[in-house]
Amino acid sequence: MDYFKKAKRAVNEAREIASTVHNEYKQFQGRNDSSYNQGGYQSSPQHNHYQQQPPTAQYYPPQQDARQAFNMASMANTLPPQPHHFPSSKPSAAPVKQPRGCPGDQAVPVDLVQFYVFEQRCLDTLKPANVPEDQFGICSACYNTLVAPHSRIASAFKPLCPAPVHPDGPRERQITFSCDLALPATRTLLASECVPKQTAEPLLRFAAASMEWFNCAGQVITTPTGYYACRGVEDMGVCTWCFERNIRGTAFEREFQRSGPMSEGVSWLCDFGGHGYIYKAMMQELGGSEARPSFARFVGKANKRMRLPPCPGPSDTFPPPGNGQRVFVYEAVEGKSGVFCQGCYWDRILGTSMERYFNVYNELGDEFRGQIGCDLTGIASQFAMDVAIKRNDDEAWRRCMEGRNRYPQCVGVEGVDEEDLLSRDRELNRWYHLRDHPNIEICSWCYYTTVEVYGATSLFAPINRTLRPGVVRMCFLSVSENLNADTSDLANFENTLVWRGSILRNWLQGGYDKNGDFSAFRVAAAKIAARPPPCSSGKRAFKPTAGRKWYGNHFLSAGDVYKTGITVCEECFDYCIRGTSIEWFAGVDQTEKTYAKAPDGFCCNSSTRRQRRELRQAAQHGVFNEYADYLARRREIEARWDKVNDLCNEQAERQLIQKQQSDMATGMAGIQHMQAMNASMNATIMRIGGSVAEAAATDYGQRYGNSAVGYGYLTPNGASAALASLDAEKLVRQSKQISTWHPTGDVWSDTQILLALSRVIQAEWEAIQ
């Protein structure tokens, strides 16, 4: 019986191989097919006020976005003289259709879609490459449809298990993943190499190689790097990351040629990176939507998009009238708000559910030119449009944009005293709290630009209590400086409020991705609500009305020569001290004592990440004096930093007086001296060094200097500044005696010495704070 099973399996495998070879042959024969129309998708003309004009008749504003900074002339020079074909790789298999249910290149939470990653034993064969487990992942739809039927290939994968939660995290952090088998290159690799050979090794090599590719992620590329030019599409450039993941091994590979790298200082955008119209046209051909991909059809679509005028950008408007050019835009139907440039419309709206709401192709009136810009340039606007597309609700985008323009922006960890709200417009400054946990509060800005967009308004309610001066409101949806920081550890964030905001925002998006299931958000919110109120990180002093608690030491530590006393907020106590061996000493409730000494407000002594880290480390070691030593060093450097700042300000005043006393009657020499002194004064104020004065001088052919600093200065002042800077280096070692420094009377020399000392002390301060 086993013999017949083995024979049947062998026959089936032989059929698969034969089918693959046949498809490869058909693909090879049809690569040069150009019988399809070279047309792109056009919006419904019945709603257009104007017939689509030739793109070449449109206005091309100079240097308006990153594409304009693309060195087109340099790029054109690197292209060959348009040969019929580029060198081609071996024939690829026919495009494999993307399985239904695959999230594609869209990142989705791993608790929403099961992903599969390589077994560790497979990754170990790549050493010393050290490929991480999550470098390559396949969604369950692609795994079950394309991989699972081949047992040998499937044995190389395992279900992805998220990393364990950090002990300080409120819940296992949300991990998002996109399916790497949704890429045309990997699906081609699977069909042409993995399946015939019954091995996952080609995909494993792909995962290892991808670690060396620069991921453009749709951002402006500023570093000199090579790119791929496309035959038939002028000025088109594709980065290595996008080429290797989408074009390599496909029917289009030979139509692209390696070029570059770009010149130093040249910025450009990958035409695939933003996943706009050109990327979608490529995916339509190679992603399995078309039974037979046509490069000619892709070129036709790409050229139409490339000829459209670039977006004016987030900080500019459509060009003013009077330049002889006409400006055409897309507007909302029925006179509603929403005006988009042609490029953004094609990239983000054309072909989606929002096309029927914003498809009025119109010439922009002169009264609007120079006054308004494209409404799809900002990240928030683009995300709101994505939400509107998913919901099929144009008002979702409109409500977000109106909220951003109407309500005051979130102030973050600084918070708002309710006393200040008494004098402000109550409607515009309305705050909201989570219904399940009223201590989680958010501002109106975040409510309308985040909660409303995610469709989570039912979870929140307006705060209607009587305002009490001294009570500080902090928005729990505040945004971090680093949007990609790992939320499993609060030490990764500049303050704990934005750590909370990142977690809640992540789980709000998770609920949105689950079509309104916010159960995971509720779990995370419950853990956050149970924590002490967030530290103000030195941005806000709290009055007794705020109800904050304070902890510290009642007596001095044995052996502490600095006689250190600390008072920290409840959150810093909970994070750094609670449960350690010094809790009995440094964890005494001092709330009443603190407010008695500071009735107008008190600020936590552990206000920076470095301070919290030092205190936590000392507490875990059980040695309070470690933190006392750190505080002493910090206070000493801070005192010198404040002193040198005061000295620099005083020196700037002396320079101003000397400048005013300059003898203007000496002609050019006096003017030149005045310019140098003025530049030096500005340098002192801005702390940018003494070389500015040299830059302000006119070159008359004469050079100044000596053997110590060299000969080549345009002015005697420039040579003097260099010599003073050289002497200042000797004083760096004496920077700790800055409190005893006194001016010598030589204003120019004193300035250089202070600037040198200022830079040294500033570096010390930045390293320890």
Side-chain angles (χ1 to χ4, degrees):
M1 194 67 178
D2 293 338
Y3 171 80
F4 288 108
K5 288 183 178 179
K6 292 180 179 179
K8 186 175 181 180
R9 186 182 303 113
V11 170
N12 290 336
E13 291 179 355
R15 287 176 176 173
E16 289 180 1
I17 294 173
S19 176
T20 300
V21 172
H22 178 66
N23 288 334
E24 288 182 357
Y25 174 77
K26 289 174 61 180
Q27 179 68 23
F28 178 73
Q29 292 294 325
R31 280 194 174 186
N32 294 327
D33 173 75
S34 59
S35 60
Y36 290 84
N37 293 328
Q38 298 185 19
Y41 180 85
Q42 300 292 332
S43 58
S44 303
Q46 61 268 26
H47 295 290
N48 294 347
H49 292 181
Y50 285 80
Q51 184 179 358
Q52 292 278 0
Q53 302 294 323
T56 54
Q58 306 304 311
Y59 173 80
Y60 287 79
Q63 301 293 334
Q64 293 295 341
D65 67 356
R67 179 176 281 114
Q68 288 295 97
F70 200 121
N71 191 342
M72 300 301 183
S74 174
M75 184 177 188
N77 292 334
T78 62
L79 290 175
Q82 296 301 321
H84 292 292
H85 302 291
F86 286 148
S88 174
S89 62
K90 64 180 181 179
S92 63
V96 180
K97 189 173 183 180
Q98 182 174 329
R100 188 173 184 179
C102 173
D105 54 21
Q106 183 70 31
V108 296
V110 296
D111 61 343
L112 181 61
V113 176
Q114 176 64 61
F115 284 87
Y116 292 81
V117 296
F118 280 112
E119 292 275 5
Q120 189 60 47
R121 58 180 172 79
C122 297
L123 298 175
D124 290 340
T125 63
L126 297 173
K127 287 184 177 180
N130 295 324
V131 178
E133 180 186 66
D134 58 357
Q135 184 66 22
F136 186 91
I138 303 174
C139 73
S140 56
C142 288
Y143 179 84
N144 294 330
T145 305
L146 304 176
V147 178
H150 310 284
S151 58
R152 293 183 182 179
I153 302 177
S155 64
F157 293 90
K158 65 177 181 179
L160 173 66
C161 297
V165 64
H166 189 280
D168 294 313
R171 184 183 184 272
E172 180 181 313
R173 69 185 188 275
Q174 185 184 39
I175 301 176
T176 59
F177 228 89
S178 59
C179 180
D180 288 306
L181 209 54
L183 305 170
T186 53
R187 287 208 301 273
T188 300
L189 197 63
L190 176 70
S192 62
E193 295 192 34
C194 296
V195 172
K197 299 176 182 178
Q198 287 297 293
T199 176
E201 185 177 352
L203 293 177
L204 193 61
R205 292 198 305 268
F206 175 89
S210 64
M211 295 184 63
E212 302 177 1
W213 305 330
F214 170 77
N215 183 0
C216 75
Q219 300 176 352
V220 177
I221 302 174
T222 57
T223 56
T225 181
Y227 63 93
Y228 288 84
C230 178
R231 180 176 67 85
V233 185
E234 186 178 358
D235 296 337
M236 177 177 169
V238 177
C239 71
T240 300
W241 170 270
C242 293
F243 176 83
E244 296 291 346
R245 289 162 59 87
N246 296 289
I247 303 299
R248 178 73 73 186
T250 68
F252 286 3
E253 179 181 358
R254 63 177 180 175
E255 313 295 352
F256 287 77
Q257 184 184 45
R258 182 75 174 179
S259 301
M262 288 291 180
S263 303
E264 186 76 31
V266 174
S267 301
W268 62 287
L269 277 173
C270 170
D271 286 299
F272 282 176
H275 291 189
Y277 181 82
I278 295 179
Y279 175 82
K280 295 172 185 176
M282 178 274 298
M283 288 296 293
Q284 186 174 10
E285 299 295 335
L286 299 179
S289 300
E290 299 289 347
R292 195 175 185 183
S294 168
F295 181 70
R297 183 168 53 220
F298 166 74
V299 167
K301 295 178 181 180
N303 277 321
K304 287 186 176 182
R305 173 61 184 89
M306 293 294 289
R307 287 194 295 265
L308 293 178
C311 179
S315 59
D316 208 344
T317 62
F318 291 109
N323 58 0
Q325 301 289 344
R326 304 171 70 185
V327 176
F328 287 85
V329 296
Y330 286 90
E331 302 175 1
V333 299
E334 300 176 357
K336 296 181 179 180
S337 60
V339 177
F340 313 121
C341 71
Q342 297 181 70
C344 289
Y345 180 86
W346 278 50
D347 287 341
R348 297 189 170 273
I349 298 178
L350 191 64
T352 71
S353 62
M354 287 296 101
E355 181 184 354
R356 63 192 182 100
Y357 296 107
F358 299 100
N359 63 1
V360 179
Y361 183 75
N362 205 353
E363 181 176 9
L364 192 64
D366 288 350
E367 67 273 21
F368 300 111
R369 294 177 57 172
Q371 302 297 322
I372 65 173
C374 175
D375 288 335
L376 265 183
T377 56
I379 295 177
S381 175
Q382 294 170 1
F383 173 73
M385 183 59 70
D386 293 339
V387 172
I389 291 172
K390 182 177 179 179
R391 291 190 191 175
N392 192 18
D393 178 13
D394 61 316
E395 292 299 328
W397 172 83
R398 202 165 279 115
R399 286 191 296 270
C400 175
M401 298 307 296
E402 290 175 354
R404 293 180 63 85
N405 294 328
R406 181 182 182 190
Y407 297 97
Q409 292 191 19
C410 180
V411 296
V413 71
E414 182 179 350
V416 177
D417 193 315
E418 290 191 356
E419 182 178 8
D420 297 331
L421 295 178
L422 290 171
S423 58
R424 299 179 184 177
D425 186 294
R426 187 175 183 85
E427 183 63 30
L428 294 180
N429 292 273
R430 184 180 298 279
W431 281 62
Y432 299 80
H433 65 78
L434 196 62
R435 293 182 185 274
D436 295 343
H437 307 285
N439 61 331
I440 294 182
E441 301 177 337
I442 64 172
C443 65
S444 57
W445 167 274
C446 292
Y447 179 83
Y448 284 100
T449 61
T450 302
V451 174
E452 206 286 330
V453 172
Y454 283 129
T457 55
S458 61
L459 302 177
F460 293 82
I463 299 176
N464 295 319
R465 68 169 183 265
T466 303
L467 297 177
R468 299 173 57 202
V471 174
V472 177
R473 295 183 180 181
M474 288 185 170
C475 179
F476 277 57
L477 287 182
S478 298
V479 180
S480 171
E481 295 175 356
N482 182 6
L483 299 179
N484 298 317
D486 185 355
T487 57
S488 65
D489 189 354
L490 60 84
N492 295 330
F493 295 82
E494 60 269 27
N495 59 70
T496 61
L497 181 67
V498 298
W499 170 70
R500 291 168 168 85
S502 298
I503 292 174
L504 293 178
R505 284 175 177 273
N506 286 345
W507 289 113
L508 277 174
Q509 182 169 356
Y512 163 76
D513 292 336
K514 290 185 176 181
N515 299 317
D517 180 5
F518 293 101
S519 56
F521 168 80
R522 293 176 183 272
V523 172
K527 294 294 184 67
I528 287 179
R531 297 180 62 87
C535 178
S536 68
S537 297
K539 302 292 185 180
R540 167 77 67 172
F542 295 99
K543 299 178 182 179
T545 315
R548 295 294 185 107
K549 294 183 178 181
W550 306 96
Y551 297 84
N553 54 322
H554 263 313
F555 52 89
L556 301 179
S557 173
D560 178 13
V561 297
Y562 304 108
K563 300 181 179 181
T564 305
I566 64 169
T567 303
V568 298
C569 67
E570 184 179 3
E571 182 184 52
C572 290
F573 161 73
D574 187 74
Y575 177 69
C576 301
I577 301 174
R578 187 188 295 277
T580 67
S581 59
I582 68 169
E583 180 180 353
W584 68 274
F585 168 75
V588 180
D589 190 333
Q590 298 198 55
T591 303
E592 293 185 5
K593 180 179 178 181
T594 299
Y595 284 133
K597 291 183 176 180
D600 294 331
F602 187 81
C603 193
C604 178
N605 291 161
S606 182
S607 58
T608 68
R609 277 191 287 184
R610 175 67 182 275
Q611 285 181 292
R612 286 192 293 270
R613 183 170 70 248
E614 293 286 345
L615 179 58
R616 181 181 173 91
Q617 180 175 304
Q620 291 174 343
H621 293 168
V623 183
F624 176 79
N625 288 355
E626 289 183 3
Y627 185 65
D629 292 341
Y630 162 77
L631 275 186
R633 296 195 308 273
R634 189 179 191 277
R635 289 167 180 168
E636 187 269 335
I637 295 174
E638 183 178 15
R640 289 192 286 121
W641 176 235
D642 291 340
K643 178 64 176 179
V644 77
N645 283 341
D646 293 339
L647 290 174
C648 283
N649 290 332
E650 294 172 4
Q651 187 66 17
E653 292 294 330
R654 282 190 286 269
Q655 286 190 195
L656 180 62
I657 293 174
Q658 181 170 343
K659 169 181 168 294
Q660 293 173 344
Q661 294 175 347
S662 295
D663 184 8
M664 302 300 296
T666 57
M668 183 59 67
I671 295 175
Q672 181 177 339
H673 180 66
M674 181 188 69
Q675 291 175 335
M677 293 301 297
N678 187 46
S680 177
M681 181 187 67
N682 292 336
T684 304
I685 297 173
M686 300 173 63
R687 292 183 177 82
I688 60 175
S691 61
V692 181
E694 183 73 6
T698 304
D699 189 353
Y700 294 100
Q702 188 175 0
R703 295 294 184 268
Y704 301 85
N706 56 34
S707 59
V709 297
Y711 299 89
Y713 294 91
L714 304 180
T715 67
N717 287 334
S720 300
L723 183 60
S725 295
L726 186 65
D727 294 337
E729 294 299 327
K730 300 177 182 178
L731 297 178
V732 169
R733 296 186 298 272
Q734 304 174 7
S735 63
K736 295 185 183 299
Q737 283 76 41
I738 189 65
S739 59
T740 62
W741 186 90
H742 295 287
T744 64
D746 186 338
V747 177
W748 187 267
S749 177
D750 290 346
T751 296
Q752 302 309 310
I753 293 174
L754 281 176
L755 288 173
L757 294 175
S758 174
R759 286 191 291 267
V760 172
I761 298 174
Q762 181 180 9
E764 291 184 74
W765 173 241
E766 291 176 350
I768 201 170
Q769 72 166 330

